[in-house]
């Protein structure tokens, strides 16, 4: 069974439909790292694969891992009726999940593994994708930390965006590609309102990031409680 088919089984079990763009990515093979990842990760990143490889602290999970998360932790019986379909995680093990907003729409939630509450972060998978790239464009220092030169960082980001945008509708795909044409430079960035400004490699300023993100607001949905896996 291929990756898309495996996730469709999980979608049927959870009652959460896969968004068309996520289905396209799963079918494309661009959510798999491959058994040789540890040996050729650098070459794969410069070639733009897997999808979102230029992002900070994001890792796709396969259907088996997603099924395990649902079975052992993120299921209605354990989470007071709330339903989730995990598709990725952070390095700390926080889960990116599809989650119903209402009967007609599905958003993306970030489920923290070690906090009492989590939150819905985007109204749709496409909003999640675009916002993820915008945040990446505003601070690319994590790629420098991986040992890439400025030219290689630009190559990695452009290859990633080209590969993903080719699977999107023309307007949002062209929007992401256009931002990659801005100059790679050091710009001021604050990690929080009280943090000291740092100079980071970026394609857009933090001010532009905030303006662009305003078009992709989070749903008007309060943070919600999550039962930790170790409490089950």
């Amino acid at each position: 069974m291929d990756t898309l088919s495996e996730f469709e089984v999980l979608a049927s079990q959870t009652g959460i439909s896969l968004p068309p763009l996520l289905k396209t990515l799963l079918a494309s093979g661009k959510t798999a790292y491959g058994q040789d990842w540890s040996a050729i990760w650098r070459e794969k990143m410069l070639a733009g694969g897997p999808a979102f490889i230029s992002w900070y602290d994001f890792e796709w999970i396969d259907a088996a891992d997603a099924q395990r998360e649902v079975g052992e932790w993120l299921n209605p019986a354990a989470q007071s009726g709330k339903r989730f379909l995990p598709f990725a995680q952070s390095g700390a093990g926080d889960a990116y999940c599809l989650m119903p907003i209402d009967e007609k729409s599905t958003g993306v939630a970030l489920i923290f593994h070690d906090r009492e509450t989590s939150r819905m972060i985007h109204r749709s998978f496409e909003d999640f994708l675009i916002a993820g790239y915008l945040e990446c464009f505003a601070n690319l220092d994590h790629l420098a930390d991986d040992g890439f030169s400025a030219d290689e960082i630009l190559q990695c980001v452009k290859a990633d965006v080209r590969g993903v945008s080719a699977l999107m509708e023309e307007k949002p795909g062209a929007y992401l590609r256009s931002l990659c044409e801005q100059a790679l430079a050091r710009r001021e960035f604050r990690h929080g309102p009280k943090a000291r400004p740092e100079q980071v490699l970026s394609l857009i300023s933090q001010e532009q990031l905030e303006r662009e993100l305003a078009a992709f607001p989070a749903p008007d949905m309060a943070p919600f409680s999550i039962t930790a896996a170790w409490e089950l």
Side-chain angles (χ1 to χ4, degrees), residues 23 48 53 57 67 99 108 112 117 124 146 161 168 186 189 217 226:
K23 289 178 68 172
I53 198 62
D57 199 23
Q67 178 70 70
M99 180 183 179
V108 175
F112 296 104
T117 60
S124 68
D146 287 337
V161 170
M168 301 171 66
R186 290 209 165 271
F189 189 92
I226 286 291

Side-chain angles (χ1 to χ4, degrees), residues 143-163:
L143 294 175
D145 292 341
D146 287 337
F148 291 105
S149 67
D151 288 343
E152 289 173 330
I153 289 171
L154 198 56
Q155 178 181 339
C156 175
V157 173
K158 286 188 173 184
D160 185 15
V161 170
R162 280 197 304 269

Side-chain angles (χ1 to χ4, degrees), residues 196-209:
R196 291 182 178 181
E198 300 178 16
Q199 294 292 314
V200 303
L201 279 172
S202 66
L203 290 167
I204 62 175
S205 67
Q206 193 166 27
E207 291 76 15
Q208 183 178 357
L209 169 64

